[in-house]
Amino acid sequence: MLGLNHTLVSEFILIGFSAFPHLQLMFFLLFLLTYLFTLLGNLLIMATIWSERSLHTPMYLFLCALSISEILYTLAIIPRMLADLLSTHHSIAFVACGNQMFFSFTFGFTHSFLLTIMGYDRYVAIGHPLRYNVLMSPRACACLVAWSWVGGSVMGLVVTMAIFHLTFCGPNEVQHFFCHVPPLLKLACGEDVPVVAKGVGLVCITALLGCFLLILLSYAFIVAAILRISSAEGRHKAFSTCASHLTVVIVHYGFASVIYLKPKGPQSLEGDTLMGITYTVLTPFLSPIIFSLRNKELKVTMKKTLLSKLLPQNS
């Protein structure tokens, strides 16, 4: 097991919400409802895309893959967080902590890679509509999705192996509600800790910043293509196909920057916990809402699907 032969620590104690002892029941109910809504929203999107043949297009294939990665990302973190909110025993085994870190980073970076691919898809659809079916063929789309998952898995493996090959020889209280890199680095001992910290930070920031710059590049070409459209109605229609993706990108990278680009220095437990909630709970909660409300075709199809299930005699 990762690092098991190099550590004196057999388990960690997650104390993320201990700073709010009187609010834990309220947090549990709030996060439970948020988590259930996140699951329901993503499952509804997936079911709608799967059942409606008109949505069997690259854009919605990528959206379906995005919903899957979001479900798995929240599954790696939130159920454990909910259990800890009701429990007085917040320990997590060393290996289980490593597994949680691996899966959270895997699905988190898969999410970023898929958002990048979705930006490229919108650029091809608007900038090269006549070549769209060739450039975004089913085989090409499947390869792009597969490489996103492979890339996410590689990132998760690199980060997890780097952290769990460190030596943990002292306190085992993790100042967070899940096994996240910064609080675990504070518990590691040895001369190589600063090197690992800088290396992991550089890898994560480079991957996120690279994805963000590629998305910006895609939208630069998209704006240039839209400006070449003569009619105002055509420009509006072209941009409307990007609205939901662009909004999710802003939310995703806005909250990610809070986590990865926050100023260095002493942080309070309350501050770290609240910042962690924005990315692990709030972002996945908002994503299906944005795609459902900002994507007109998906919204109409979802409404039609729900009505046909609830009122089959009128469908």
Side-chain angles (χ1 to χ4, degrees):
M1 297 298 178
L2 293 176
L4 199 57
N5 296 327
H6 306 284
T7 181
L8 301 177
V9 173
S10 61
E11 66 177 15
F12 293 104
I13 308 298
L14 301 173
I15 60 172
F17 289 98
S18 62
F20 311 98
H22 304 298
L23 299 176
Q24 292 196 19
L25 180 59
M26 185 190 74
F27 281 155
F28 172 81
L29 294 174
L30 177 62
F31 296 154
L32 177 62
L33 289 174
T34 303
Y35 180 53
L36 292 176
F37 188 91
T38 301
L39 287 179
L40 180 62
N42 282 299
L43 289 172
L44 184 58
I45 288 173
M46 292 164 57
T48 302
I49 294 172
W50 180 266
S51 61
E52 185 61 45
R53 291 189 62 84
S54 65
L55 299 182
H56 292 181
T57 62
M59 179 173 70
Y60 293 106
L61 167 67
F62 297 140
L63 178 55
C64 191
L66 194 74
S67 292
I68 294 172
S69 72
E70 202 156 69
I71 288 174
L72 294 175
Y73 174 77
T74 55
L75 187 63
I77 297 175
I78 298 182
R80 169 78 204 202
M81 181 184 73
L82 292 172
D84 283 345
L85 282 169
L86 293 182
S87 173
T88 57
H89 187 65
H90 301 158
S91 66
I92 181 171
F94 187 83
V95 174
C97 187
N99 288 335
Q100 186 184 58
M101 179 177 289
F102 169 74
F103 287 117
S104 63
F105 270 87
T106 293
F107 301 130
F109 276 101
T110 298
H111 196 84
S112 293
F113 296 147
L114 287 170
L115 284 175
T116 306
I117 290 171
M118 291 173 76
Y120 172 71
D121 170 73
R122 291 299 82 209
Y123 158 65
V124 175
I126 295 172
H128 303 279
L130 298 180
R131 300 177 60 198
Y132 182 76
N133 290 334
V134 176
L135 294 174
M136 303 303 294
S137 65
R139 180 183 177 85
C141 292
C143 287
L144 288 171
V145 171
W147 278 112
S148 295
W149 286 92
V150 170
S153 299
V154 169
M155 290 295 300
L157 189 61
V158 167
V159 172
T160 305
M161 289 187 66
I163 298 300
F164 282 85
H165 272 86
L166 293 172
T167 302
F168 296 90
C169 52
N172 66 341
E173 291 187 343
V174 179
Q175 303 285 328
H176 217 287
F177 55 84
F178 75 104
C179 291
H180 195 37
V181 170
L184 280 172
L185 284 171
K186 293 178 182 178
L187 305 181
C189 51
E191 296 179 356
D192 53 347
V193 173
V195 177
V196 171
K198 290 180 181 178
V200 169
L202 183 63
V203 167
C204 292
I205 291 175
T206 300
L208 285 172
L209 191 58
C211 290
F212 184 64
L213 291 176
L214 287 174
I215 292 172
L216 285 182
L217 184 63
S218 294
Y219 272 97
F221 286 126
I222 287 171
V223 170
I226 289 176
L227 291 177
R228 290 196 297 267
I229 300 175
S230 57
S231 68
E233 183 181 354
R235 289 195 295 269
H236 176 75
K237 184 177 180 180
F239 184 76
S240 66
T241 65
C242 307
S244 57
H245 174 258
L246 185 58
T247 307
V248 168
V249 166
I250 293 171
V251 171
H252 177 81
Y253 282 97
F255 287 137
S257 65
V258 170
I259 302 298
Y260 290 102
L261 301 179
K262 66 181 180 180
K264 301 298 181 184
Q267 296 288 331
S268 67
L269 174 58
E270 296 91 337
D272 283 344
T273 301
L274 293 175
M275 281 193 292
I277 288 171
T278 61
Y279 192 71
T280 58
V281 178
L282 189 58
T283 301
F285 171 73
L286 292 175
S287 184
I289 296 177
I290 293 169
F291 277 114
S292 300
L293 296 180
R294 300 286 295 177
N295 188 303
K296 184 177 180 181
E297 186 179 7
L298 181 62
K299 180 169 64 175
V300 170
T301 307
M302 287 175 67
K303 188 181 297 185
K304 183 176 72 174
T305 302
L306 284 174
L307 288 176
S308 67
K309 297 296 182 184
L310 297 174
L311 304 170
Q313 69 276 12
N314 296 332
S315 59

